């Protein structure tokens, strides 16, 4: 029984790693496309996202089977729950990569504005966070996971800073309203990417330490 | 959240020996009133020995010895002046295999009462109905109380045994793997009965089915090789146990 259970858990882990690798590659490609303005790199992003969706369904089924057949408890239960949540976050990251790809196509002639606004820096940071969150998941690396959670502030600050910069640009020049609007949507997507990376990292903390650290900052602020 | 304490059983530094071998080691914990304490642990961990020590059934074995104290409502149950029979009326036990007596359903229930001198028919009738109802069996047998208890199914016989214990109006009910031979439906009947009964009684449930403890117990204790490894709220034991041994056992990684 235990052997069968371990096998199911290993299969689930393998599916998650494969899915995470796909998502990581998608994000890598769209961020590179954003940096180089090479929209050609975004070709095939949508088709690849379908593979991610297939993994999403597979992982959900694997989790459902484990819960129904083995009724795991304690650390095993936390693994399955965090797998379900991570699956959800990864699937959303895949969708965001598709969204970013669409924006890259619309903004590839705005390289100077992109460079000037620090969007590339934000993209790099979000990409790094996702990579580290995935690594932390693969290695059960709680320190790395906590580092990812802490890094969210960097992206949030960049988001505010770039948003203000783009608003100022639009105020100064009506002709920039449309391109800046695309870029605002773009940074919103990058910010969500970082949020999902954070949530994946929080799932690892939940799995390893049995602690729920979601919404912690906000809840702490409310009790103060 | 601070739990209001209402200690029913207080186990203080209890060691139990069988022929000079210490089989339970320095047990120290409390059982609150109107709660179900689930005791889990692998075979040979001392669960049943502990359970049997709560109504002094171990005394029937030669070479058996206890030190420390077990207090029921603050009184030492091993006090030499305490009447064992009255203790066993207060602390009833249901065993793994149902032991229906070879007599009618009705007589099975009133057997202990008759022995203790109750003979009023009206009172016996009332107790039979009350006990069978509390054990979730009344509706199934009310029209055939004269049927032999042995003709009932395994699940019904186990509820009959529970009803027989309830007829004595105990304070504490001990259950030693009461569902080990039962199908899932009968198990549900017993578990539902326990959940209702805890409103009135204190229940200690030894089970090899860890998920049964998860389903019905308020508190769960994990025993291993005669030691209490961990005791805590069932929710906590089954989500984030403190001790590695507990985690290994409930996740099936033990041994």
């Amino acid at each position: 029984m235990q052997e069968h259970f371990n096998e199911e858990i290993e299969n689930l882990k393998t599916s998650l790693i494969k899915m995470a690798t796909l998502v990581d590659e998608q994000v890598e490609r769209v961020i590179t496309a954003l940096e180089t303005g090479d929209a050609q790199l975004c070709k095939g992003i949508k088709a690849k996202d379908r593979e991610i969706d297939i993994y999403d369904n597979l992982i959900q089924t694997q989790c459902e089977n484990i819960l129904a057949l083995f009724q795991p408890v304690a650390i095993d239960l936390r693994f399955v729950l965090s797998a379900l949540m991570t699956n959800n976050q990864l699937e959303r990251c895949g969708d965001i990569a598709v969204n970013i790809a669409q924006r890259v196509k619309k903004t590839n002639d705005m390289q100077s504005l992109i460079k000037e606004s620090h969007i590339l820096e934000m993209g790099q940071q979000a990409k790094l966070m996702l990579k580290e969150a995935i690594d932390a998941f693969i290695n059960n690396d709680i320190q790395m996971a906590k580092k990812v959670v802490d890094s969210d502030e960097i992206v949030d600050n960049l988001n505010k800073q770039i948003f203000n910069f783009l608003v100022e640009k639009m105020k100064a020049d009506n002709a920039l309203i449309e391109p800046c609007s695309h870029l605002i949507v773009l940074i919103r997507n990058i910010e969500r990417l970082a949020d999902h990376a954070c949530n994946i990292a929080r799932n690892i903390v939940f799995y390893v330490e049995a602690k729920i650290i979601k919404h912690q900052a906000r809840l702490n602020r409310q009790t103060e | 959240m601070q739990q209001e304490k209402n200690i029913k059983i207080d186990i203080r530094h209890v060691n139990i020996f069988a022929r000079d071998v210490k089989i339970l080691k320095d047990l120290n914990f409390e059982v609150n009133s109107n709660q179900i304490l689930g005791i889990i642990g692998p075979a040979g961990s001392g669960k049943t020995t502990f359970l049997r020590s709560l109504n002094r059934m171990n005394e029937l074995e030669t070479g058996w010895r206890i030190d420390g104290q077990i207090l029921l409502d603050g009184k030492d149950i091993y006090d030499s002046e305490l009447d064992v029979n009255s203790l066993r009326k207060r602390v009833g036990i249901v065993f793994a295999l149902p032991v229906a007596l070879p007599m009618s359903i009705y007589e099975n229930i009133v057997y202990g009462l008759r022995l203790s001198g109750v003979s009023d028919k009206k009172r016996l009738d009332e107790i039979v109905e009350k006990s069978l109802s509390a054990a979730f069996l009344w509706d199934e047998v009310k029209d055939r109380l004269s049927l032999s208890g042995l003709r009932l199914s395994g699940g019904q016989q186990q509820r009959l045994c529970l009803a027989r214990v309830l007829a004595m109006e105990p304070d504490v009910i001990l259950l030693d793997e009461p569902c080990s031979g039962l199908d899932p439906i009968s198990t549900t009947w017993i578990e539902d009965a326990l959940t209702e009964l805890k409103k009135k009684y204190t229940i200690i449930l030894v089970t090899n089915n860890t998920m049964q403890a998860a389903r019905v117990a308020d508190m769960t204790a994990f025993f291993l090789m005669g030691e209490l490894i961990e005791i805590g709220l069932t929710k906590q034991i089954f989500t984030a146990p403190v001790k590695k041994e507990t985690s290994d056992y409930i996740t099936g990684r033990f041994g």
Side-chain angles (χ1 to χ4, degrees):
Chain A
M1 188 72 167
Q2 187 60 29
E3 211 172 298
H4 189 186
F5 175 73
N6 289 342
E7 204 179 301
E8 295 289 331
I9 290 284
E10 276 313 307
N11 290 342
L12 172 60
K13 209 172 204 172
T14 305
S15 302
L16 271 164
I17 291 171
K18 284 183 181 166
M19 183 186 189
T21 308
L22 276 177
V23 172
D24 188 33
E25 284 167 5
Q26 293 275 84
V27 170
E28 178 86 47
R29 271 173 71 184
V30 293
I31 297 295
T32 308
L34 179 68
E35 279 172 353
T36 56
D38 182 0
Q40 282 302 309
L41 282 173
C42 298
K43 237 181 163 183
I45 286 280
K46 225 171 181 176
K48 216 52 173 176
D49 190 50
R50 276 195 285 277
E51 278 182 49
I52 293 171
D53 290 345
I54 290 168
Y55 271 111
D56 176 25
N57 288 352
L58 171 69
I59 288 164
Q60 189 171 334
T61 307
Q62 286 176 312
C63 291
E64 185 189 3
N65 286 345
I66 291 172
L67 291 171
L69 301 180
F70 300 98
Q71 292 116 41
V73 292
I75 192 160
D76 293 335
L77 175 62
R78 294 201 302 276
F79 178 75
V80 179
L81 292 177
S82 64
L84 261 177
M85 293 187 283
T86 299
N87 179 42
N88 192 28
Q89 319 288 357
L90 286 172
E91 194 275 333
R92 294 291 303 124
C93 288
D95 289 348
I96 287 171
V98 174
N99 292 344
I100 293 175
Q102 282 165 355
R103 293 294 145 192
V104 167
K105 285 175 197 161
K106 286 178 180 156
T107 58
N108 62 349
D109 55 350
M110 303 172 201
Q111 282 306 300
S112 63
L113 195 55
I114 288 172
K115 281 187 181 124
E116 199 187 342
S117 61
H118 297 288
I119 290 177
L120 297 180
E121 198 182 326
M122 187 180 175
Q124 281 297 343
Q125 182 61 38
K127 188 182 82 176
L128 176 70
M129 285 169 67
L130 182 65
K131 202 176 267 300
E132 287 180 340
I134 291 170
D135 284 348
F137 168 75
I138 293 171
N139 303 313
N140 291 338
D141 186 340
I142 205 84
Q143 295 312 322
M144 176 83 86
K146 286 178 179 170
K147 180 183 168 246
V148 172
V149 174
D150 291 341
S151 307
D152 197 32
E153 215 181 327
I154 302 172
V155 174
D156 284 347
N157 288 338
L158 278 168
N159 185 36
K160 280 178 212 150
Q161 187 189 318
I162 297 166
F163 178 82
N164 290 337
F165 170 82
L166 293 171
V167 169
E168 289 307 316
K169 283 280 174 193
M170 287 190 279
K171 279 183 191 165
D173 184 355
N174 281 353
L176 288 177
I177 289 177
E178 195 184 334
C180 285
S181 300
H182 284 305
L183 294 179
I184 285 175
V185 175
L186 183 66
I187 60 167
R188 171 75 187 139
N189 277 311
I190 295 172
E191 195 261 336
R192 291 299 298 144
L193 196 62
D195 283 347
H196 287 304
C198 263
N199 285 335
I200 292 169
R202 290 184 182 108
N203 296 342
I204 297 155
V205 175
F206 170 67
Y207 163 51
V208 177
E209 294 189 340
K211 284 183 197 150
I212 298 172
I213 58 165
K214 271 192 301 184
H215 317 300
Q216 210 173 39
R218 191 184 307 163
L219 292 173
N220 287 345
R221 274 199 301 275
Q222 278 169 359
T223 51
E224 271 165 16
Chain B
M1 207 182 305
Q2 190 79 35
Q3 274 212 322
E4 199 180 314
K5 273 198 171 180
N6 188 1
I7 300 166
K8 187 75 187 173
I9 303 171
D10 191 356
I11 291 103
R12 293 187 182 171
H13 300 291
V14 166
N15 293 288
I16 292 179
F17 302 82
R19 298 180 199 283
D20 291 331
V21 178
K22 200 190 267 191
I23 48 175
L24 282 177
K25 299 160 195 166
D26 198 28
L27 300 181
N28 236 327
F29 62 97
E30 295 154 356
V31 184
N32 287 346
S33 293
N34 305 107
Q35 280 200 341
I36 301 177
L37 169 69
I39 300 180
I40 57 170
S45 58
K47 310 181 296 284
T48 298
T49 302
F50 169 70
L51 199 73
R52 290 163 67 93
S53 71
L54 294 175
N55 69 352
R56 290 176 60 171
M57 283 187 66
N58 286 336
E59 283 182 341
L60 305 171
E61 291 157 26
T62 49
W64 182 89
R65 182 164 65 82
I66 182 168
D67 63 38
Q69 280 187 312
I70 297 178
L71 308 179
L72 176 63
D73 289 329
K75 295 207 173 96
D76 188 353
I77 65 166
Y78 283 90
D79 187 322
S80 56
E81 295 193 354
L82 187 127
D83 173 27
V84 178
N85 289 330
S86 69
L87 171 71
R88 290 186 189 146
K89 273 186 207 163
R90 289 183 65 197
V91 184
I93 188 163
V94 176
F95 298 100
L97 293 174
V99 195
L101 302 171
M103 50 182 72
S104 71
I105 294 169
Y106 185 96
E107 287 303 322
N108 259 279
I109 303 295
V110 301
Y111 184 76
L113 293 164
R114 285 201 206 278
L115 281 182
S116 59
V118 182
S119 57
D120 177 43
K121 176 80 171 76
K122 199 173 159 226
R123 172 128 192 263
L124 291 176
D125 288 352
E126 276 170 14
I127 294 175
V128 167
E129 180 173 348
K130 209 168 117 189
S131 310
L132 286 170
S133 300
F136 284 32
L137 186 58
W138 175 249
D139 287 341
E140 289 165 59
V141 299
K142 63 184 176 197
D143 300 323
R144 44 183 181 142
L145 293 174
S146 56
L147 185 82
S148 166
L150 299 175
R151 300 272 302 274
L152 296 174
S153 70
Q156 288 171 326
Q157 284 191 33
Q158 192 60 302
R159 280 179 279 151
L160 179 70
C161 293
L162 181 59
R164 197 167 58 205
V165 166
L166 297 176
M168 300 304 289
E169 299 191 322
D171 287 344
V172 178
I173 305 170
L174 311 175
L175 299 116
D176 190 2
E177 296 175 40
C179 303
S180 59
L182 304 187
D183 64 275
I185 304 288
S186 302
T187 299
T188 306
W189 280 111
I190 296 279
E191 291 177 359
D192 286 349
L194 296 183
T195 310
E196 269 304 304
L197 288 169
K198 76 172 180 183
K199 293 174 187 163
K200 204 170 160 195
Y201 307 94
T202 302
I203 298 171
I204 301 182
L205 168 70
V206 162
T207 178
N208 279 326
N209 178 350
T210 52
M211 293 320 290
Q212 179 167 62
R215 286 192 295 270
V216 301
D218 300 291
M219 301 284 290
T220 295
F222 171 55
F223 279 39
L224 178 64
M225 294 172 79
E227 285 182 55
L228 172 69
I229 302 296
E230 187 170 353
I231 182 168
L233 289 173
T234 298
K235 237 184 270 176
Q236 189 241 313
I237 295 282
F238 283 91
T239 54
V242 175
K243 298 285 173 68
K244 185 179 180 302
E245 294 96 320
T246 315
S247 178
D248 285 350
Y249 181 70
I250 60 172
T251 57
R253 287 186 177 79
F254 205 81

